[in-house]
Amino acid sequence: MVQRKRFAVSVLLLITGLLAVADSSVVVRDAWVREAPPGAPVLAAYFTLENTGSKADKLVAVRAVDFEKIEIHATEIRAGVARMIALDALPISPHALVKLAPGGYHIMLHHPRRALAAGMSVKLELRFESGTRLTVVAPVRRAEAGTAHHH
């Protein structure tokens, strides 16, 4: 009897976990990595996250074999000076867009393990609080003139 109850609870927890992941409906669009000068220790990645689901989610980590360390950042302006702030997570409300762009939210890619130039690409794995993992291939490209730069 005790084993049946444990089994039933295990199945219920598994189903609940699967439903939580199934409801996570985050879509990634327009991913790109800013080309940096040769030898630059830091690059930045940008993209748009859209939560088409009915539950909030959070981007909690980004992984890539091409970099030693990756952080989620926000740019804050204080007294006319821009500074970057590392974030533990980036919330995505239901039915909302969160745009990562120069001068705002962005992904800091520290210590590239290979030289990256315009025309190449980087594979990023985005990890969400819901347990969802999305793999995105982001092209490396030159920034448009007049956009904020983090290097």
Side-chain angles (χ1 to χ4, degrees), residues 20-92:
V21 171
D23 191 50
S24 178
S25 301
V26 178
V27 177
V28 181
R29 292 193 176 88
D30 305 321
W32 65 287
V33 172
R34 180 193 296 268
E35 180 184 55
V42 181
L43 287 82
Y46 309 103
F47 44 82
T48 299
L49 297 170
E50 181 180 6
N51 185 349
T52 61
S54 60
K55 293 185 180 178
D57 207 344
K58 291 180 183 178
L59 176 65
V60 295
V62 178
R63 301 285 182 255
V65 298
D66 288 321
F67 303 95
E68 286 182 26
K69 179 180 175 185
I70 299 177
E71 298 175 316
I72 303 167
H73 275 212
T75 302
E76 180 181 87
I77 307 292
R78 283 192 188 168
V81 178
R83 63 181 226 149
M84 291 179 281
I85 299 170
L87 304 174
D88 292 330
L90 183 59
I92 313 158

Side-chain angles (χ1 to χ4, degrees), residues 59-140:
L59 176 65
V60 295
V62 178
R63 301 285 182 255
V65 298
D66 288 321
F67 303 95
E68 286 182 26
K69 179 180 175 185
I70 299 177
E71 298 175 316
I72 303 167
H73 275 212
T75 302
E76 180 181 87
I77 307 292
R78 283 192 188 168
V81 178
R83 63 181 226 149
M84 291 179 281
I85 299 170
L87 304 174
D88 292 330
L90 183 59
I92 313 158
S93 299
H95 309 292
L97 288 174
V98 177
K99 187 170 179 114
L100 286 80
Y105 294 120
H106 55 280
I107 304 300
M108 293 303 302
L109 307 166
H110 297 272
H111 308 292
R113 292 189 171 113
R114 63 182 173 115
L116 294 166
M120 299 174 79
S121 62
V122 173
K123 188 186 291 187
L124 304 171
E125 181 188 69
L126 282 56
R127 297 179 180 186
F128 296 87
E129 185 177 64
S130 64
T132 299
R133 292 181 183 194
L134 298 175
T135 299
V136 177
V137 176
V140 177

